[in-house]
Amino acid sequence: MKAVVTVTGKDKKGIIATVSTFLAERGANIEDISQTVLGEYFAMIMIADLSEAKQGIADLANDCKELGKKIGMTIYLQHEDIFNAMHNI
Amino acid sequence: MFSNNDVLETIAMVQEEHLDIRTITMGLSLFSCIRDTAEETARKVYDLVCTKAENIVKTATDLSGEYGIPIVNKRVSVTPVSLLCAAFPEKAPLIGKALDDAAATLGIDFLGGYSALVHKSTAEYERIFIRTIPEVLATTKRLCSSVNVGSTKSGINMEAVKMLGEVFKEAAFLTKDQDGLGAAKLVAFCNAVEDNPFMAGAFHGVGEADVVVNVGVSGPGVVKHALEKIPDADLTDAAEMIKRTAFKITRAGQLVAKEAAKRLNAQFGIVDLSLAPTPAMGDSVAQILEELGIETVGGHGTTAALAMLNDAVKKGGVMASSRVGGLSGAFIPVSEDIGMIRAAEAGKITLDKLEAMTCVCSVGLDMIAIPGDTPATTIAAMIADEAAIGMINNKTTAVRIIPAPGKKVGDQVNFGGLLGRAPIMPVHACDSSRLIIRGGNIPAPIHSFKN
C-alpha cells in the first residue's frame, strides 16, 4: 500500500532529512520525492511504500502529524487512494 | 496518477474549505426483532443495533485517519418503528427508548427511524404511534423521528398533515426548557426516500437489505472557494466549476462508503451528494449563492442561483458515484447555516422565499424557528404547502419547523452544535384552519398515473 506524505510550511534546513529518517525508521520506503520552494514557503510531496511499515497507516499518519508539530511544519500522511479517487476519472 | 497540485488541492479542501464526509449512516432492518410483546421486541432491537453497528465509530475513525479526511458523524437508521409496533402501538415508546439507549452505547450522536409512513392513509396503529412522538422526543436524546404524509403516487394524507401540526407543537412544548428542541428532531416528509443518510429524516426503508452503509458527503466551503477563483465567469462556466468540484467531493465519499461497507460487513448503499452546511464560517450554502452574485441570500435571483447550484451538484456527483441516492442536492436549513442565520436576522429572507427555494432544491422548510403561539393548523398548512410542492414536482420535500414555546418574532433559539441557532421568523397570521379541518386526501396528480 502506498501513502502520500505532504510537508508544508516555512522553509528551513534539514526538513527532508528529518522526515525521511523518521519514515525510514518506521519501515516506510520512500519511492518518490518532489519539492518546491516558493519564497519562504516550502512544499514537499513524497510517495512512500508502506508494505513493510511497522505500524498501521492511521497510526503512522498521527505520528507524522506530531512530528510536524515538533519541527514547526504541517505533515500529512494519507492513503494514495484518496487522491486517485478525487483526481482521476 | 495525480499531480502535486492535485495533492495540495485536496489538502487545502480539508484544511481551509471544510471538506468532510458528513456522515456514515448504517441502515439496519429491524423486522427480525419483532416478538410477541413490546418488552421482548425492545430487548431484541437494542441487541441487534448494538451488535451490527458495534464497529461503526471505530471504522469511521480509522478511515478518517487513513485518508486524512474528517468523518464528522456516525449514525444509524432503522426500519420505521411504527411497523415493528403494529400489534402494540401504545408501547412504541419502549422501542424508542431501546434505540436511544443503543445509540448511547455505540457513542453516536443521532439514530433515525422513529417513523411512520402514512402517505396514503393512516392505519389505527399508525394513529396511536404518531401520538407517541412528542413524548418520545422529549424523553430521549439521540432519537429522531419522521412521518411521510404524502407522495406523488398517493397524494397527500391531510388527516396526517393535521396531526403533524399538533405533533410539532406538542414536541416543542414538551421541550420548552430547551427552546423546543423536540421539534428539531422531527421531520414531516412528502416523497420520503428510503436511503437518506442525513438526520433528522433518516430511516431504513422496507425495500432495503439487512445492513447497509449510506454515506453523505458535504463541502459547501469547497464549492464557494472554487467559485471565488472565477468571480467574473458567466453562469455556464460557474455551473461547470460546481460540477467539477462536486465530482471530486463525491469521489471522496464513494471511496469512504465502499471501504466502510466492506469493513462493517454491510452492503454499500448509496452516496448522498448533498451540500450540507454547518453553522461554521465558510461552510455555508447561502454564501455560495451570495458568491454567485446575490448581495444577501433571500434577494431576488436566489431561487435561480439555487436551482443552478442544485442541478450542477447532481450532475457532477452522479458521474462520480456508482450509486447515488438519498436527498442529493443543496440543503437550506436556517439555523445550521451562518449565511442563512445572518439573512434571517436582518429580515432579508422570509418564509415565503424559503418556500420558493424548496421548489428547486433537495429538501424543504428546514430548521426554521417560528413564534410559539403559531396555531397547530397553521403549521399543518405549512406542511401541506410543502407536501404539495413535493407531490406536484416529483421530489422530496420536508418540514422541520420549531414553534419555539414562549418566543416571538425578534427572539432567538439556540440549540448549539450542528443544530445551530435561529431568529424567530414571522408567519402569516391569517387563519388556515378550515382547510386543515376538512381532512380527507388531496388526490394524486394526473401526471402520477404512468402505468
Side-chain angles (χ1 to χ4, degrees):
Chain A
M1 178 214 309
K2 287 181 188 174
V4 177
V5 184
T6 318
V7 185
T8 54
K10 224 173 145 180
D11 192 22
K12 60 183 86 161
K13 279 182 201 155
I15 301 170
I16 298 180
T18 309
V19 177
S20 43
T21 310
F22 180 87
L23 289 172
E25 282 169 2
R26 282 156 184 78
N29 182 35
I30 297 163
E31 296 189 338
D32 186 42
I33 299 188
S34 64
Q35 68 151 87
T36 46
V37 181
L38 271 176
E40 289 187 324
Y41 186 75
F42 172 91
M44 172 169 74
I45 295 168
M46 294 172 161
I47 310 290
D49 181 1
L50 300 189
S51 49
E52 287 172 29
K54 295 169 186 161
Q55 59 197 115
I57 179 166
D59 264 358
L60 194 55
N62 205 34
D63 287 356
C64 283
K65 208 167 168 186
E66 292 303 315
L67 172 71
K69 280 184 198 156
K70 225 165 71 189
I71 64 171
M73 305 291 287
T74 308
I75 307 183
Y76 291 101
L77 182 144
Q78 293 161 277
H79 198 299
E80 65 164 347
D81 280 357
I82 189 74
F83 304 104
N84 281 325
M86 288 179 74
H87 300 285
N88 290 323
I89 292 180
Chain B
M1 206 48 194
F2 41 82
S3 71
N4 288 354
N5 279 342
D6 294 338
V7 173
L8 295 173
E9 183 188 42
T10 296
I11 286 173
M13 282 181 181
V14 173
Q15 278 311 294
E16 292 152 34
E17 300 157 20
H18 301 279
L19 170 66
D20 55 44
I21 305 297
R22 186 52 49 85
T23 179
I24 292 186
T25 303
M26 179 181 266
L28 294 174
S29 169
L30 297 184
F31 282 118
S32 65
C33 299
I34 299 176
R35 295 291 182 277
D36 284 345
T37 66
E39 289 75 8
E40 279 177 86
T41 305
R43 234 181 344 263
K44 280 282 165 198
V45 161
Y46 176 86
D47 289 346
L48 186 141
V49 173
C50 287
T51 313
K52 299 277 188 200
E54 189 183 5
N55 292 322
I56 187 169
V57 173
K58 183 183 178 298
T59 301
T61 311
D62 287 351
L63 288 172
S64 180
E66 289 168 30
Y67 295 124
I69 290 201
I71 297 172
V72 182
N73 297 306
K74 284 69 74 176
R75 290 166 173 174
V76 168
S77 64
V78 299
T79 308
V81 170
S82 80
L83 300 175
L84 310 179
C85 306
F88 36 76
E90 64 292 335
K91 288 196 171 172
L94 283 179
I95 317 290
K97 173 150 193 335
L99 288 168
D100 196 51
D101 290 346
T105 305
L106 295 172
I108 58 176
D109 67 340
F110 286 122
L111 183 150
Y114 198 78
S115 304
L117 308 174
V118 291
H119 37 277
K120 193 160 184 192
S121 306
T122 324
E124 186 52 29
Y125 72 89
E126 310 274 16
R127 213 167 275 131
I128 299 168
F129 173 84
I130 291 171
R131 291 285 177 207
T132 67
I133 291 174
E135 181 67 34
V136 166
L137 292 179
T139 53
T140 55
K141 209 169 154 218
R142 297 172 166 88
L143 191 62
C144 293
S145 176
S146 55
V147 179
N148 195 39
V149 298
S151 76
T152 301
K153 271 283 181 199
S154 62
I156 302 172
N157 174 356
M158 289 300 285
E159 183 207 348
V161 167
K162 176 171 177 288
M163 215 150 105
L164 260 286
E166 292 154 11
V167 168
F168 268 100
K169 279 280 275 198
E170 202 186 334
F173 179 75
L174 293 178
T175 48
K176 57 180 181 293
D177 50 342
Q178 297 165 281
D179 283 348
L181 177 65
K185 296 184 286 179
L186 172 63
V187 184
F189 273 118
C190 177
N191 289 325
V193 292
E194 301 202 314
D195 50 10
N196 165 24
F198 286 101
M199 296 296 168
F203 63 88
H204 185 69
V206 295
E208 298 277 326
D210 285 345
V211 186
V212 177
V213 165
N214 297 319
V215 163
V217 296
S218 192
V222 183
V223 173
K224 176 170 181 278
H225 187 83
L227 289 173
E228 280 167 358
K229 288 187 218 153
I230 49 164
D232 302 317
D234 69 21
L235 290 173
T236 315
D237 292 344
E240 190 60 27
M241 180 61 102
I242 296 168
K243 258 166 65 180
R244 285 167 182 273
T245 311
F247 175 84
K248 290 176 189 171
I249 297 171
T250 309
R251 291 286 280 197
Q254 164 88 5
L255 174 68
V256 168
K258 287 206 96 154
E259 195 57 34
K262 199 164 87 190
R263 293 187 194 185
L264 290 165
N265 296 318
Q267 192 181 91
F268 161 50
I270 54 94
V271 177
D272 185 317
L273 314 173
S274 292
L275 285 183
T278 69
M281 197 58 204
D283 202 17
S284 155
V285 169
Q287 287 174 339
I288 299 175
L289 304 177
E290 292 172 357
E291 180 58 36
L292 283 169
I294 293 142
E295 186 185 5
T296 307
V297 67
H300 295 297
T302 300
T303 311
L306 180 59
M308 186 195 90
L309 171 66
N310 201 56
D311 183 66
V313 165
K314 283 184 207 292
K315 285 175 179 160
V318 161
M319 170 91 181
S321 173
S322 56
R323 294 180 89 177
V324 169
L327 300 166
S328 285
F331 290 174
I332 51 164
V334 173
S335 76
E336 300 172 343
D337 184 316
I338 188 69
M340 286 286 189
I341 294 170
R342 284 181 180 165
E345 280 171 346
K348 301 231 165 121
I349 192 160
T350 61
L351 262 173
D352 292 342
K353 189 64 182 176
L354 282 163
E355 185 182 318
M357 291 163 75
T358 67
C359 299
V360 299
C361 78
S362 67
V363 211
L365 297 176
D366 195 12
M367 289 304 284
I368 297 170
I370 57 171
D373 61 1
T374 309
T377 47
T378 302
I379 297 171
M382 289 173 171
I383 297 171
D385 280 343
E386 273 305 308
I389 290 171
M391 174 181 78
I392 296 294
N393 294 307
N394 281 307
K395 70 184 285 294
T396 305
T397 46
V399 172
R400 181 163 55 147
I401 214 154
I402 302 113
K407 305 243 169 167
K408 51 190 189 311
V409 176
D411 295 341
Q412 188 181 271
V413 293
N414 196 341
F415 302 118
L418 275 180
L419 296 174
R421 68 185 161 87
I424 308 291
M425 296 179 75
V427 301
H428 291 290
C430 82
D431 180 15
S432 311
S433 61
R434 266 189 68 220
L435 174 82
I436 298 304
I437 289 165
R438 282 173 186 269
N441 275 63
I442 295 183
I446 187 71
H447 60 254
S448 71
F449 302 116
K450 286 183 175 163
N451 288 343

